Amino acid sequence: MTNENQWDGTLSFILAMIGSAVGFGNIWRYPYVLYSSGGGAFFVPYIIAILLMGIPILFLEYGIGFKFKASFAKTVTRIDSRWQFLGWFIPLCLITVMTYYSSLLSFDGIYIFLSMFKSWGPDPNLFYSSTLTHSTTSVSGVLDFIPLVAIALFIVWTLVWFISHRDLEKGLGRASKVLVPLLFVIMSLIVAFSLTLPGASIGLAELYTPDWSLLTDFNIWMLAFSQIIFSLSIGFSGTITFAGYLKEDTDIVTNTLIIALSNSLFENISAIAVFSILGYMSLQTATPVSDIVSQGTGLIFVVYPAVFNILGQWAYVIGPLFFLTIFIAGLTSILTMIEPLSFSIQNKFNISRKKTVTTLCIIGGVMSMIYATAFGGTLLEYVDTYINQIAVLFCIILECILFAWIYKAENLVDYLNSQSRTIKLGKGWLFIVKYLLPICIAFVWFGGMVEILQVSSLERLLITLICAIVVFAVCLFLTLKKPTNPKWEEIDGN
C-alpha cells in the first residue's frame, strides 16, 4: 500500500469514520423515526439493534479490512474470486448515492445563504417546491433545468474533488480533523440554545413520551434495525476500505466502539435540538407538534425555515449555524463515499489516486445534474429506494455469507482479540454474525421489498429497474476487464 493511501494515525481514521456515519439521516431521519416509533419506547429496539447488529457487523467489516489491507473489490476477490462482482457492486452503489446526496448538499448550501436574510419569504413550502426546485412528479420535468441548483452542485463536487484527490491524510484526514469536531461543537451550541426556548419542554415531551404498545409492532423493530444500518453506513464498503489504511498497532475493537457510540450520541442530541425548536413553534403558533413535525426535506427546508420566520433576530444566527451543521454532516459523509470505488480502481488498474478521483468526480458531477431539474426530487426518492432498501440490504446479507461463512469469521477472532486492549470477542459474536445478522437483515429487506411493491407506481418500478440495469452493467464491465496491475492477483494478508 502506498503512503497516499494510509492514515498517519488512528485519530484520522476515527474522525473520518464518525464523519462517514454522521450525515443527513442523523438530523432529519432519526428524530422523526424516534418520534413516530414509540418515543422513549423506541430506545428498546434501538439499543438492541446497536448491540446485536451495529457493533458486531462493524467488528466484522473493520476486521476484514484491517486484516486484508486492500480495496474492497480486491478483498472480496482474494476471499473468493467468484464473488468479485459483489466487490464492485457495493462501491458503485455508493457512487450512485453520492450523485443524489450531492443534490441535497447543494440545496443545503443554498439555504445557508438564504437563512442569512430569510429569503424564502413567508411561505417556505411554496418557495422550496415552486421557486427553488420547480418540483414535479412528471418525467418531462427533466427538461426544466434549474441553473442555481446546477451551480451549487458544481461547487459541491469541486469541494469533494479538492479534498479527495489529495493523499488520504493530507485530504480527508485533515478535513476530518477540522470538520467533525466543528460539527459536534456547532450542534452542541444549537442544542444549548434550543433548550432555552419557551415551549422546548413541549417538544421533548412529545418526543420522549413512551408508547409501550408499539413494541409489539414488527415495523418498529424493522425501523430500528434499518436506522442502525443506514446511520452507521453498514454494508457500504467504506468501513472495510478505511480500516485497510490503518497501521498494524491499531486497537480496532475499541475504535469501533468509539465510532458507534459517537454516532449514536450525535443523532440523539440532534433529536433534542429538533424537537426543542418544534416545541417552541408549537407554543408560538398554538399548533400541536404532531401537525408540525415532518421528515426528510420537508423538515429541513420547509418546517425549519417556518420556525426561523417566527424566531426573531436569533434566527439570523441559529439559521445559518443549523444549515451549516447539516452541510458539514453531509460533506463528511460524501467525502468517504468516493473512496471504496476509487481505491478499487487504483488497485486493479494501477491508476494514480489523483487521476482516479478526478475522473470519478467528473462522472459523478455530470450524473448528478439530472437532480438539478424539476424531476430531480422525485427521481431522488426512486433512486434512494433502490439503493438503500433493495441493493445495499441485499448486499449486506451476501457480505455476511462471504465474510462470516466462506472466509469464516472464526479466522478473525484471534486476530481481532490480539489487537484489542478492552473487550474480547468469542462465540457470542460468531453466533451473531453467522446466524442472527443475516436473518435480521433478511427480515428488514423482505419487509422493505413488500412495502415497495405495494406502494410503487409502474413508473417508479421502471426507473428502479433501469437504475439496476445500469449499475449491473458497469459492475460486469469492471469485473470482466483484465487487471493492469500485476499485484492484483496477490493473495497476501489472507
Side-chain angles (χ1 to χ4, degrees):
M1 184 183 299
T2 61
N3 289 330
E4 67 177 7
N5 289 322
Q6 189 174 69
W7 303 113
D8 281 354
T10 305
L11 179 62
S12 297
F13 164 73
I14 292 176
L15 292 177
M17 287 295 88
I18 293 174
S20 173
V22 172
F24 290 128
N26 299 74
I27 300 174
W28 71 20
R29 186 178 189 270
Y30 176 74
Y32 183 82
V33 170
L34 175 59
Y35 165 75
S36 62
S37 304
F42 181 71
F43 284 117
V44 175
Y46 175 78
I47 292 173
I48 290 175
I50 292 175
L51 296 178
L52 291 186
M53 184 185 67
I55 293 175
I57 201 168
L58 284 181
F59 285 152
L60 179 65
E61 291 188 337
Y62 285 138
I64 288 288
F66 189 54
K67 185 168 187 179
F68 281 87
K69 296 192 181 302
S71 67
F72 184 74
K74 185 173 182 179
T75 297
V76 171
T77 304
R78 281 179 177 177
I79 293 174
D80 191 328
S81 60
R82 293 171 295 183
W83 288 67
Q84 185 183 157
F85 186 87
L86 175 65
W88 292 106
F89 183 76
I90 296 180
L92 269 169
C93 285
L94 261 185
I95 293 296
T96 307
V97 172
M98 278 189 75
T99 61
Y100 70 74
Y101 219 76
S102 62
S103 71
L104 294 174
L105 204 56
S106 68
F107 287 140
D108 185 75
I110 292 171
Y111 269 78
I112 292 176
F113 293 98
L114 293 176
S115 64
M116 296 177 183
F117 312 99
K118 299 184 184 178
S119 300
W120 45 69
D123 191 341
N125 184 40
L126 180 64
F127 174 85
Y128 176 72
S129 61
S130 299
T131 306
L132 181 61
T133 64
H134 306 182
S135 183
T136 179
T137 58
S138 173
V139 178
S140 62
V142 296
L143 301 176
D144 185 1
F145 195 65
I146 308 170
L148 179 60
V149 177
I151 293 171
L153 272 168
F154 176 78
I155 294 172
V156 167
W157 279 98
T158 301
L159 186 58
V160 171
W161 170 83
F162 179 76
I163 295 173
S164 298
H165 85 285
R166 299 165 177 245
D167 291 357
L168 184 71
E169 186 62 39
K170 293 179 180 178
L172 181 58
R174 290 179 181 177
S176 298
K177 288 177 181 177
V178 174
L179 295 177
V180 174
L182 181 62
L183 178 62
F184 277 81
V185 169
I186 296 176
M187 180 54 77
S188 298
L189 292 174
I190 293 174
V191 170
F193 172 79
S194 66
L195 290 174
T196 67
L197 292 172
S201 59
I202 297 174
L204 294 179
E206 286 281 339
L207 176 63
Y208 291 117
T209 299
D211 184 352
W212 300 109
S213 65
L214 289 180
L215 291 181
T216 59
D217 186 346
F218 171 75
N219 289 326
I220 301 305
W221 290 83
M222 190 172 74
L223 277 171
F225 277 81
S226 62
Q227 173 64 29
I228 297 304
I229 289 170
F230 301 131
S231 181
L232 288 174
S233 300
I234 292 171
F236 281 99
S237 68
T239 52
I240 293 174
T241 301
F242 287 113
Y245 298 154
L246 286 166
K247 297 179 179 178
E248 285 295 338
D249 59 345
T250 304
D251 185 346
I252 195 72
V253 174
T254 303
N255 291 339
T256 301
L257 294 174
I258 293 172
I259 293 164
L261 294 176
S262 297
N263 174 73
S264 182
L265 173 65
F266 184 85
E267 62 186 9
N268 277 285
I269 64 173
S270 297
I272 293 174
V274 168
F275 274 81
S276 294
I277 296 177
L278 291 180
Y280 167 78
M281 186 176 185
S282 173
L283 179 66
Q284 297 299 312
T285 61
T287 305
V289 171
S290 58
D291 292 343
I292 300 173
V293 68
S294 179
Q295 63 176 324
T297 54
L299 174 64
I300 302 302
F301 302 132
V302 176
V303 175
Y304 259 81
V307 173
F308 296 142
N309 278 349
I310 64 172
L311 192 57
Q313 295 301 312
W314 274 107
Y316 296 107
V317 177
I318 298 301
L321 283 178
F322 176 74
F323 289 111
L324 178 61
T325 302
I326 297 173
F327 189 86
I328 294 173
L331 181 61
T332 55
S333 291
I334 204 172
L335 284 172
T336 61
M337 292 181 186
I338 199 171
E339 196 68 27
L341 184 58
S342 170
F343 191 35
S344 292
I345 292 173
Q346 293 171 53
N347 253 188
K348 186 169 184 177
F349 303 111
N350 204 25
I351 304 173
S352 71
R353 179 184 181 87
K354 291 182 180 180
K355 187 174 182 179
T356 304
V357 170
T358 301
T359 302
L360 290 178
C361 282
I362 292 173
I363 294 173
V366 171
M367 289 174 57
S368 69
M369 287 300 164
I370 195 170
Y371 299 107
T373 67
F375 186 63
T378 301
L379 181 64
L380 188 153
E381 293 180 10
Y382 294 171
V383 176
D384 180 66
T385 296
Y386 166 67
I387 296 297
N388 287 323
Q389 291 186 251
I390 300 176
V392 172
L393 284 180
F394 185 67
C395 285
I396 295 175
I397 299 172
L398 296 181
E399 266 193 17
C400 288
I401 296 172
L402 178 63
F403 298 148
W405 285 94
I406 296 179
Y407 174 70
K408 294 184 179 180
E410 290 86 348
N411 295 330
L412 284 175
V413 173
D414 291 339
Y415 185 72
L416 286 171
N417 287 340
S418 69
Q419 300 292 141
S420 174
R421 292 185 287 273
T422 51
I423 65 173
K424 303 295 181 181
L425 305 182
K427 293 182 179 179
W429 176 71
L430 289 173
F431 172 79
I432 290 173
V433 297
K434 296 186 72 171
Y435 301 99
L436 191 60
L437 273 177
I439 294 173
C440 288
I441 297 172
F443 269 114
V444 174
W445 179 79
F446 181 76
M449 285 292 294
V450 171
E451 181 182 356
I452 290 168
L453 293 175
Q454 287 176 340
V455 304
S456 294
S457 63
L458 180 61
E459 178 185 81
R460 183 171 188 161
L461 292 174
L462 182 61
I463 292 176
T464 299
L465 179 61
I466 293 172
C467 183
I469 291 173
V470 171
V471 173
F472 269 88
V474 177
C475 282
L476 190 61
F477 170 77
L478 291 171
T479 301
L480 298 178
K481 188 172 176 59
K482 291 184 178 181
T484 54
N485 184 355
K487 295 183 179 180
W488 174 256
E489 304 294 342
E490 288 183 355
I491 311 296
D492 59 295
N494 206 331

